[in-house]
Amino acid sequence: RAEAEALKAIRADKNKNGKGGNAETPSRPFVNNKALLQERLDDIRLDPKFPFEETLAFVAEKELEIEEVEDDLKREVEFYNQALNAVKLSRKQLDKAGVKHMRPVDYFAEMVKSDKHMGRVKQHLLFEKQKMEGFERRKQQKEFKKYSKQLQAEKQKQKGAQKKKVKELANQYRGKTPDALATLGSSGMNKKRERATNNEAKFRQSAKRQAKDKKYGSGYVKGSKKNSAKSSADMSDFSTKKNKTAFPGMKAKIKKRPGKSRRMNRRSG
């Protein structure tokens, strides 16, 4: 009754001040009618004569004691633990009363939603998945394109710097004397020689390899077996001692073996 009277007073104040009411709307008065609350509680309270399996109403044995009420995670964990404990105790009471509350192994329950509806749900999920994959693919392509542009800009920058350096050198030696240009050319040739020397040092053979090449030859090298006029006329390696056959027109000086009597005389003498 008190609550209804308070609501009537608020409505009357709004009608008095117009549809919008005052700029400062009065706050709703605090009403704590314990007698009326107890009456409403008695109306919805279950009769304790009813058995537990009819009501399935379970009251926790102990109240919750939460140290940090504002911490949502801890509060929800406490609610979960209290509900879990209530379910365990309720199952014990149902087992004690002989009431079956577990689903049989061969129990078949029809789905609440039809296969057609679940097919639409599956199709929607697949569409969302493809949509996300396409978004990720486009994002990667965009990043790759951005990286390619940066790389191309860096190359263009390096190319421009090199071109500028060459232009500065050209301007530096423009109008110089031939000696200065020769100095520039000699410096370039020196750099080439240094690179060639470094390459030779890098691929230099060991002393053992050189000795074997000198003794057995270094194997076939492309172009090494081609004769020239100079190599054909070179007879420095030819030895008449090793080659018993003389050239045509030359007399062969071949020592004959002495006879037996001469050999015997030499031995006895």
Side-chain angles (χ1 to χ4, degrees):
R1 293 177 183 178
E3 187 177 359
E5 291 175 359
L7 289 174
K8 286 181 181 179
I10 292 171
R11 289 172 184 169
D13 186 43
K14 283 185 179 180
N15 293 330
K16 183 178 179 181
N17 297 315
K19 293 183 180 180
N22 293 333
E24 297 180 359
T25 306
S27 60
R28 185 175 178 180
F30 178 74
V31 179
N32 186 16
N33 193 341
K34 294 184 178 180
L36 185 60
L37 291 174
Q38 188 65 37
E39 183 179 351
R40 293 291 177 268
L41 180 61
D42 293 338
D43 291 341
I44 63 174
R45 181 176 292 167
L46 296 174
D47 192 350
K49 295 180 181 179
F50 291 151
F52 174 74
E53 55 269 19
E54 295 293 336
T55 60
L56 298 178
F58 188 85
V59 181
E61 297 179 350
K62 60 179 182 178
E63 297 181 358
L64 287 179
E65 295 180 0
I66 304 174
E67 297 179 358
E68 299 178 7
V69 183
E70 300 298 332
D71 192 344
D72 295 341
L73 182 60
K74 291 184 178 180
R75 189 172 64 250
E76 292 298 329
V77 169
E78 291 294 335
F79 290 160
Y80 171 78
N81 292 332
Q82 188 185 50
L84 183 62
N85 187 33
V87 169
K88 290 179 180 179
L89 295 176
S90 300
R91 289 180 62 182
K92 289 182 180 179
Q93 290 189 15
L94 291 174
D95 291 337
K96 187 176 180 180
V99 178
K100 295 181 179 180
H101 57 87
M102 296 294 293
R103 185 180 65 183
V105 180
D106 57 348
Y107 179 77
F108 177 78
E110 187 177 355
M111 293 179 63
V112 177
K113 297 180 180 180
S114 62
D115 294 340
K116 187 176 180 181
H117 177 79
M118 294 306 296
R120 289 199 301 269
V121 172
K122 183 179 180 181
Q123 188 176 1
H124 178 70
L125 292 175
L126 290 175
F127 173 75
E128 290 293 333
K129 184 179 178 182
Q130 292 175 359
K131 185 177 177 182
M132 292 302 297
E133 289 178 353
F135 173 74
E136 291 294 334
R137 186 164 54 251
R138 289 193 298 272
K139 185 177 178 182
Q140 290 179 0
Q141 290 177 356
K142 188 176 180 181
E143 292 292 334
F144 179 74
K145 192 175 181 181
K146 185 177 178 182
Y147 174 74
S148 299
K149 285 185 177 180
Q150 291 179 356
L151 189 62
Q152 188 176 3
E154 188 68 24
K155 287 184 177 179
Q156 290 292 338
K157 187 177 179 182
Q158 292 178 0
K159 190 176 180 181
Q162 187 177 3
K163 191 174 180 181
K164 185 179 179 182
K165 187 176 180 181
V166 172
K167 192 174 181 181
E168 288 177 357
L169 287 172
N171 293 331
Q172 183 180 357
Y173 287 97
R174 183 176 294 172
K176 297 289 183 180
T177 60
D179 295 336
L181 296 176
T183 304
L184 177 63
S186 63
S187 63
M189 291 299 294
N190 291 334
K191 289 182 180 179
K192 289 184 179 179
R193 289 194 191 96
E194 289 178 2
R195 285 197 294 268
T197 306
N198 293 334
N199 292 333
E200 289 176 3
K202 191 181 293 184
F203 297 103
R204 190 173 295 161
Q205 292 180 343
S206 62
K208 184 178 180 181
R209 180 71 266 170
Q210 292 176 3
K212 285 186 176 292
D213 288 346
K214 186 176 181 181
K215 185 176 181 181
Y216 302 108
S218 57
Y220 172 71
V221 181
K222 187 175 181 181
S224 62
K225 292 188 176 182
K226 288 182 179 180
N227 290 331
S228 62
K230 187 177 179 180
S231 64
S232 299
D234 186 13
M235 300 296 293
S236 59
D237 293 338
F238 182 77
S239 176
T240 55
K241 293 181 179 180
K242 295 180 181 178
N243 298 277
K244 302 258 176 153
T245 58
F247 287 106
M250 292 180 64
K251 293 181 179 180
K253 295 180 180 180
I254 301 173
K255 291 182 179 181
K256 294 183 178 181
R257 185 183 182 189
K260 187 174 182 182
S261 59
R262 290 185 181 182
R263 290 200 306 267
M264 292 296 292
N265 292 332
R266 286 181 183 178
R267 290 177 183 175
S268 62

